Amino acid sequence: MGQWRRRIHHHHHQYQFPRRIALPAAALLLLFLAVSLLSFSLPVPPLTGHLGLASSSRRSLGSSRSRRRPPNSSDGEMDGGFSDIRKNERAAPIDLWGSKLASNFYGCSNSSGKFLDSSVTTQPDRYLIIVTSGGLNQQRTGIVDAVVAARILNATLVVPKLDQRSFWKDSSNFSEIFDIDWFISFLAKDVNIIKEPPEKGGKTVKPFKMRVPRKCTPRCYLNRVLPAILKKHVIRMTKYDYRLSNKLDKDLQKLRCRVNYHALRFTDPIQELGEKLIKRMREKSRYFIALHLRFEPDMLAFSGCYFGGGEKEKRDLSSIRKRWKTLHINDPEKGRRQGRCPLTPEEVGLMLRALGYRSDVHIYVASGEIYGGEDTLAPLKLLFPNFHTKETLSTKEELTPFLTHSSRMAAIDFIVCDGSDAFVTNNNGNMAKILAGRRRYFGHKRTIMPIAKQLYPLFMNRANISWDAFSSQIQIVQKRFIGEPMEIMPGRGEFHANPAAYRSDTEDDPAERGEMIEMEAEDDSLVRQEDSELEEILSD
């Protein structure tokens, strides 16, 4: 920016003000300048008027012709509403690629001397079978907690059965996604695990079916499940996700970590392709960002939000919503104000640029079908031209074996996101939670979770403020949500997302509230299919 210069005019005949008038005038001028400069440093005020989401400050999903570009821009880079986005780029006040405090923290999962070997604790004729629920990462939470539940019950765990009937419709079994032999051998001292249900007289024993409430405590398992397993010997629990309390004693929490961060390995074909993609990203740049975009049509329809795509968007998303009669339609603008809407690809890009990531950074995008296709992605690609996906990085021959299996495709994205230098999520689903917890455990790698509620007024008002002011406010909002140690207060959030936030406190026990054990004739008889499907789509 140019410096202020006082202009000196040599007009001998110009009228000269008396000193007693000139001094007060100069003082007023200085006061005016001071107030003006101060106003640039003040926080952006909240919106006071009604602004529809399709206003001029929002981009349209259907057209990019009306977008403003920087003056004298020859490379066609979009400014996202700011004419000074490039010339005013400055070093970010945060370390973009890691935490300076990370070396003071480490993941700890070794059991104490009080944690007895499974050969001592496992009781005969006690078998636990669990059926997971949802997509890959929702199922992962069930697998982790199933191991701990088996330990609480001193039971043998049958290798968990994956959900093959959910919205994701993936026919993969456990051994086609995870290394089953490693899983069993790594946990051998913790829990006895077998591959197939027990047999009696050459026939598989018919299990007794039941469920437990969400966040069931160890006491809940002992009061509800143990009597049943002592009587029936083989218990089968379905829809098994988040069925174990966040708060357990230290050894059980460490067992959770051993399962999640060490015992669950992907099969060699999945792991090898994921590592190849990481290597190819590293060949392009020393550092890279992985972005879990979550901007698929179903996700947008279920959010009930409006993203500026006009009547076509409203028709498209409305037709999807009609498939689920129980879906409650909220006020789109209210949902956005409350932070319940995912950011658009453009908004994610603007947030990252505001945090200090430059346009030459390489981004790996983990996502399914993006609503609006290339038109929707165009603003993000203009802000970050080095844009990659598993489809663009791999060959057709490499990807073909996985294409018809959504969980295996999700596993490839999981590996690359985990290996990135900065991971950015656009929702609070299971993949975001699992990866956030994993990245904390393995050294607090940079993990950015947008605070949509606080970002909303900044995005809506961005046409009225300078890039410097916008960038400063984005950094203020996000600086406590970038993966630093001790960001989360003890006891907050889910254990899978914040493994260090939980101590061995007790938690409200559903068993003490008089809730009944849920018996089942069929796996899904007590849950409406459409409600279950909604939960699965939104959560993973």
Side-chain angles (χ1 to χ4, degrees):
M1 295 179 63
Q3 295 180 342
W4 286 98
R5 296 181 181 178
R6 180 168 34 169
R7 296 192 178 189
I8 302 175
H9 299 280
H10 301 284
H11 297 293
H12 298 289
H13 302 291
Q14 186 175 350
Y15 178 78
Q16 300 294 317
F17 286 100
R19 181 183 296 265
R20 60 188 179 185
I21 298 176
L23 287 176
L28 287 172
L29 178 60
L30 288 174
L31 179 61
F32 174 78
L33 289 173
V35 172
S36 299
L37 290 172
L38 182 61
S39 66
F40 282 100
S41 65
L42 292 175
V44 179
L47 299 177
T48 55
H50 177 81
L51 286 176
L53 294 183
S55 69
S56 61
S57 64
R58 296 278 294 150
R59 67 123 174 96
S60 169
L61 287 170
S63 173
S64 61
R65 296 178 182 176
S66 62
R67 300 185 184 108
R68 293 182 295 152
R69 301 183 182 278
N72 304 319
S73 175
S74 59
D75 62 358
E77 178 168 358
M78 196 187 79
D79 66 352
F82 300 102
S83 61
D84 52 352
I85 185 172
R86 296 192 67 198
K87 65 183 180 182
N88 288 347
E89 279 189 327
R90 297 174 296 181
I94 62 171
D95 187 338
L96 299 176
W97 303 112
S99 168
K100 294 181 175 64
L101 301 175
S103 60
N104 299 322
F105 298 83
Y106 61 94
C108 178
S109 62
N110 294 330
S111 60
S112 72
K114 299 178 181 179
F115 198 74
L116 300 178
D117 192 282
S118 64
S119 61
V120 176
T121 61
T122 305
Q123 300 298 308
D125 291 330
R126 294 187 193 181
Y127 296 92
L128 178 63
I129 302 171
I130 70 107
V131 181
T132 60
S133 177
L136 173 68
N137 297 289
Q138 186 173 339
Q139 294 186 87
R140 190 184 186 107
T141 66
I143 295 167
V144 171
D145 290 348
V147 173
V148 181
R151 175 73 190 203
I152 292 169
L153 296 167
N154 293 330
T156 293
L157 177 68
V158 180
V159 168
K161 178 177 173 57
L162 302 188
D163 184 355
Q164 299 173 336
R165 303 195 299 173
S166 71
F167 169 85
W168 306 102
K169 293 180 175 61
D170 190 318
S171 61
S172 301
N173 59 38
F174 189 99
S175 63
E176 291 172 315
I177 296 178
F178 299 106
D179 185 335
I180 189 170
D181 293 324
W182 172 262
F183 178 75
I184 293 172
S185 62
F186 187 89
L187 296 170
K189 291 185 177 182
D190 301 312
V191 173
N192 185 41
I193 304 175
I194 58 177
K195 292 183 179 181
E196 300 295 337
E199 294 184 351
K200 188 174 183 180
K203 295 182 179 180
T204 301
V205 177
K206 185 177 181 180
F208 178 74
K209 299 176 183 178
M210 64 181 299
R211 286 195 200 154
V212 292
R214 290 289 180 96
K215 299 182 180 180
C216 194
T217 63
R219 183 186 301 176
C220 168
Y221 275 89
L222 295 176
N223 288 345
R224 291 166 173 262
V225 185
L226 183 58
I229 206 170
L230 290 175
K231 184 177 181 180
K232 301 293 184 179
H233 304 298
V234 183
I235 296 295
R236 186 172 189 256
M237 292 194 286
T238 60
K239 291 293 178 186
Y240 196 85
D241 59 333
Y242 295 101
R243 303 289 169 174
L244 184 63
S245 168
N246 280 314
K247 301 177 183 179
L248 304 173
D249 69 49
K250 187 177 293 186
D251 267 326
L252 291 179
Q253 296 289 48
K254 287 184 176 183
L255 175 56
R256 256 180 170 161
C257 291
R258 289 197 294 280
V259 182
N260 200 4
Y261 307 131
H262 301 284
L264 280 175
R265 285 184 177 178
F266 292 114
T267 58
D268 287 344
I270 294 173
Q271 190 67 35
E272 287 169 5
L273 181 54
E275 290 177 359
K276 279 183 183 179
L277 301 190
I278 293 174
K279 182 180 179 182
R280 289 167 190 173
M281 289 296 294
R282 295 255 178 253
E283 289 170 351
K284 299 176 184 297
S285 179
R286 180 182 177 185
Y287 301 112
F288 75 93
I289 295 172
L291 167 61
H292 187 212
L293 195 52
R294 286 314 303 267
F295 211 72
E296 297 89 350
D298 288 332
M299 181 69 182
L300 303 189
F302 300 141
S303 74
C305 302
Y306 174 61
F307 299 91
E311 291 302 317
K312 183 180 185 303
E313 177 193 328
K314 293 178 181 177
R315 288 194 304 270
D316 291 345
L317 301 187
S318 177
S319 65
I320 295 175
R321 292 187 188 106
K322 289 177 181 178
R323 288 157 40 190
W324 289 272
K325 297 177 182 179
T326 59
L327 183 62
H328 178 66
I329 305 301
N330 298 314
D331 176 4
E333 189 172 344
K334 181 179 179 182
R336 188 162 170 80
R337 287 198 306 270
Q338 294 176 343
R340 292 187 286 102
C341 301
L343 304 184
T344 67
E346 179 187 16
E347 289 166 345
V348 173
L350 287 171
M351 177 194 70
L352 292 176
R353 292 290 291 273
L355 289 174
Y357 293 99
R358 297 178 61 86
S359 60
D360 58 355
V361 169
H362 286 253
I363 290 188
Y364 177 92
V365 175
S367 179
E369 174 195 1
I370 298 295
Y371 177 71
E374 285 301 313
D375 282 344
T376 301
L377 289 173
L380 176 59
K381 289 184 175 181
L382 285 169
L383 289 164
F384 290 96
N386 299 309
F387 183 100
H388 311 278
T389 65
K390 56 182 174 293
E391 288 79 10
T392 63
L393 289 172
S394 58
T395 66
K396 182 179 179 180
E397 291 72 23
E398 288 173 330
L399 205 57
T400 296
F402 309 100
L403 287 174
T404 57
H405 299 89
S406 61
S407 289
R408 299 183 212 183
M409 292 284 279
I412 295 169
D413 278 337
F414 185 99
I415 293 168
V416 181
C417 289
D418 185 38
S420 67
D421 301 285
F423 172 62
V424 184
T425 179
N426 194 24
N427 77 317
N428 196 33
N430 287 300
M431 181 170 174
K433 292 175 183 176
I434 294 290
L435 276 170
R438 184 178 178 85
R439 292 172 71 85
R440 286 188 173 100
Y441 182 86
F442 288 109
H444 288 276
K445 295 190 285 185
R446 185 63 72 225
T447 304
I448 299 170
M449 307 185 79
I451 309 304
K453 184 176 181 179
Q454 296 180 45
L455 294 176
Y456 165 77
L458 297 176
F459 287 127
M460 293 302 292
N461 199 38
R462 71 179 192 243
N464 302 319
I465 57 176
S466 70
W467 173 252
D468 281 348
F470 177 82
S471 178
S472 175
Q473 291 300 309
I474 291 287
Q475 291 170 16
I476 290 171
V477 168
Q478 285 296 142
K479 67 180 180 180
R480 294 187 298 108
F481 301 92
I482 56 175
E484 288 288 335
M486 309 303 289
E487 276 184 346
I488 307 299
M489 292 180 62
R492 294 290 183 90
E494 294 287 348
F495 173 83
H496 297 285
N498 307 297
Y502 285 93
R503 305 180 299 274
S504 57
D505 300 338
T506 59
E507 185 170 282
D508 185 25
D509 190 343
E512 296 176 353
R513 300 197 299 266
E515 295 180 9
M516 298 297 294
I517 296 176
E518 301 177 17
M519 305 299 181
E520 296 183 297
E522 298 293 335
D523 287 353
D524 300 315
S525 62
L526 297 179
V527 180
R528 283 183 297 186
Q529 182 67 24
E530 59 185 26
D531 291 344
S532 176
E533 220 169 77
L534 283 173
E535 181 181 0
E536 290 159 2
I537 297 169
L538 286 171
S539 64
D540 215 57

